[in-house]
Amino acid sequence: MSTQHRITFLLGAGASIPAGYVSMNHLTELILGGSELTLHSDKTFVRRPPPEPGFPPMPEDRMMPVIRRLLGWLYLQTRSYFVARGEFKAVNYEDIYFAAAQLADDLTELQNPAIQPFMDTLKSDMCGWPEYVRLGLGQPIPDANTLHDTSELACRYIQANVTNKLSGPPIQTGHLALIHDACNNSSLELQGIATLSHDNHVEVFLQGKGIDIADGFSAESTASNYRIWKNKFVNNNSVPFLKLHGSVDWFKLTRQITGSVRRIDRVGKVTRTTITPQGSDPGSVGVDFNRYTRAEDRLPLMLMGTFNKPTQYSRGLMADIHYRFRRILNDTDCLVICGYSFGDKAINNHIIDWLDNGKRVVVIDPKPMDDVIRTARYAAGRFLKSNAAQFITRGIETVSLDDVLRQCSMR
């Protein structure tokens, strides 16, 4: 008698590229150089309007050159760090965000004495930046508040650019046919689908195929343009669907109580009809209470960075989602991974903790197996070299469900 496979899918950001979304390298180049976004007077980032004929371009906020200079400085420092370690990896916006977030968090939540020399070097260098001198802050060396505010703006600038490029609809979703087949195959038990992508092309695909998903939010309502977080992943025959790094359409919803007093009330998944990715504000949504949000809350709830992500996995709805992911893994025999570089230490730990005798990992990636292992973090590279991992070195669009099931059965 054949064994019924219990399968879970884990999709990384690389699985979004066939849908028409830009790569991490492209986003990094955009953030470091040619972004169309600029800082608004309300401290949000908006698209710069094109210059009108006969008129000079609209001047930028004076902080924008400083933000760009800081991002470039962090890029060079991060690259030098990896070169010194003999790791000639391409620095991406997640690495830069992590460095900026450490600077911003040092004044508030996550103090780290080890980065004090790093901050001292930055303060000394900033004094010689013409962009910083032109701000005319009247102080020779940036103080802790200036460093915090500038670093926080740099983090929000990165997030606004990512939001700007990932909020639109997918160009195509045919590469996900494998997942559609798994949802409709009675010979296996599909435990769930998890994704590290911020865009919504997987949901669009599944819903377009008539596949119900349970994503933790309340049901659609004709009376409102958002769905509220309920931590509910079971709904009749729905497939559990988990976005482990947040989403371009998740927002902190706030409402005014009295006067200017605000309260963060809950997290809502805003329906696609109210998102305005082509508008002036990359994080704008058509909900009345968004008028009362702080600038940082007008950007979607998306986790970014490298080693700072795990600090967010135990907070708010992310704690619910990652707990659910571990529960789903417990009922999984074969984890099918596509488009993931194995660079998230906490996600890797989820997988390592789950692996034991009989568990299988099937990696779908067009890159050679050795390249996948070489670029993975150390602990992930160890289990990828073991007998527990099987590789299909093709793009997901060319992989059939039978291909996956054969790999799940290999010993």
Side-chain angles (χ1 to χ4, degrees):
M1 185 174 66
S2 63
T3 302
Q4 189 173 42
H5 296 287
R6 300 185 300 172
I7 290 179
T8 294
F9 284 91
L10 174 62
L11 304 177
S16 297
I17 294 176
Y21 295 101
V22 296
S23 68
M24 177 172 285
N25 288 339
H26 181 90
L27 276 169
T28 302
E29 292 172 2
L30 182 75
I31 289 164
L32 290 174
S35 173
E36 61 186 341
L37 302 184
T38 190
L39 185 63
H40 192 273
S41 59
D42 65 357
K43 301 305 177 184
T44 61
F45 290 94
V46 299
R47 291 182 181 87
R48 294 189 68 186
E52 297 184 18
F55 292 90
M58 183 185 76
E60 278 195 316
D61 186 282
R62 291 192 303 163
M63 276 301 297
M64 275 308 308
V66 180
I67 293 169
R68 292 198 185 96
R69 183 65 176 260
L70 175 60
L71 292 170
W73 188 90
L74 293 173
Y75 167 81
L76 292 174
Q77 295 293 319
T78 305
R79 188 179 66 176
S80 296
Y81 169 81
F82 286 120
V83 169
R85 290 169 55 92
E87 300 177 22
F88 298 93
K89 71 182 290 288
V91 176
N92 58 58
Y93 73 84
E94 298 268 24
D95 300 314
I96 300 169
Y97 187 99
F98 172 54
Q102 284 195 99
L103 295 171
D105 290 341
D106 186 75
L107 189 65
T108 54
E109 294 287 337
L110 301 173
Q111 292 88 0
N112 180 5
I115 70 167
Q116 185 61 52
F118 184 73
M119 291 191 295
D120 291 342
T121 299
L122 173 57
K123 290 178 182 179
S124 176
D125 286 357
M126 285 182 71
C127 293
W129 295 353
E131 300 90 344
Y132 178 73
V133 173
R134 281 195 290 269
L135 287 178
L137 297 178
Q139 52 191 26
I141 299 177
D143 60 13
N145 287 311
T146 299
L147 201 61
H148 169 271
D149 293 347
T150 308
S151 302
E152 189 175 68
L153 282 173
C155 289
R156 295 216 305 269
Y157 179 68
I158 293 173
Q159 188 174 357
N161 275 283
V162 175
T163 302
N164 187 31
K165 290 301 180 182
L166 300 185
S167 292
I171 294 175
Q172 66 87 30
T173 56
H175 63 291
L176 299 177
L178 166 63
I179 295 178
H180 172 258
D181 293 343
C183 291
N184 291 284
N185 191 299
S186 59
S187 67
L188 60 82
E189 296 179 21
L190 181 59
Q191 301 301 312
I193 302 167
T195 177
L196 305 175
S197 302
H198 301 305
D199 63 77
N200 58 17
H201 84 278
V202 182
E203 304 98 298
V204 169
F205 170 77
L206 294 173
Q207 291 164 355
K209 294 294 184 180
I211 298 171
D212 292 330
I213 60 175
D215 60 3
F217 289 88
S218 62
E220 294 282 359
S221 170
T222 56
S224 64
N225 54 9
Y226 57 93
R227 298 165 56 212
I228 298 301
W229 179 252
K230 295 292 186 181
N231 191 23
K232 186 176 181 182
F233 292 96
V234 179
N235 183 22
N236 298 325
N237 295 320
S238 299
V239 178
F241 181 73
L242 295 77
K243 302 196 80 168
L244 300 171
H245 286 169
S247 182
V248 293
D249 53 4
W250 295 3
F251 290 87
K252 291 180 180 179
L253 308 180
T254 66
R255 61 190 178 92
Q256 190 177 34
I257 302 175
T258 56
S260 61
V261 178
R262 298 184 299 265
R263 184 180 74 190
I264 294 179
D265 193 35
R266 57 192 68 183
V267 173
K269 177 181 175 69
V270 180
T271 58
R272 286 187 295 133
T273 55
T274 62
I275 296 179
T276 56
Q278 301 305 316
S280 61
D281 184 347
S284 64
V285 291
V287 284
D288 290 341
F289 36 64
N290 226 35
R291 289 178 298 174
Y292 308 116
T293 57
R294 300 171 298 172
E296 55 266 37
D297 291 335
R298 284 178 230 165
L299 287 168
L301 198 164
M302 303 190 303
L303 305 188
M304 291 188 182
T306 50
F307 294 108
N308 52 310
K309 281 199 192 96
T311 65
Q312 303 295 319
Y313 290 162
S314 60
R315 297 177 59 184
L317 82 168
M318 299 311 301
D320 299 335
I321 293 171
H322 283 260
Y323 170 74
R324 183 66 58 171
F325 182 55
R326 291 183 70 98
R327 286 194 59 183
I328 286 174
L329 282 181
N330 287 338
D331 295 326
T332 298
D333 301 317
C334 184
L335 178 63
V336 182
I337 302 175
C338 176
Y340 175 45
S341 63
F342 297 94
D344 187 310
K345 187 173 177 61
I347 298 297
N348 294 344
N349 285 341
H350 287 328
I351 300 171
I352 293 168
D353 292 343
W354 159 77
L355 275 174
D356 59 23
N357 291 333
K359 305 290 188 181
R360 311 294 292 174
V361 171
V362 175
V363 180
I364 301 173
D365 198 306
K367 297 192 298 294
M369 179 182 70
D370 290 344
D371 287 352
V372 175
I373 294 173
R374 179 176 53 82
T375 57
R377 295 209 182 276
Y378 176 77
R382 291 184 62 184
F383 80 72
L384 289 173
K385 294 176 185 177
S386 72
N387 293 331
Q390 298 293 327
F391 285 78
I392 301 177
T393 54
R394 305 201 306 271
I396 188 174
E397 65 276 7
T398 69
V399 177
S400 70
L401 184 58
D402 286 340
D403 294 331
V404 170
L405 295 179
R406 279 195 296 271
Q407 297 296 329
C408 289
S409 300
M410 293 184 68
R411 290 290 183 266

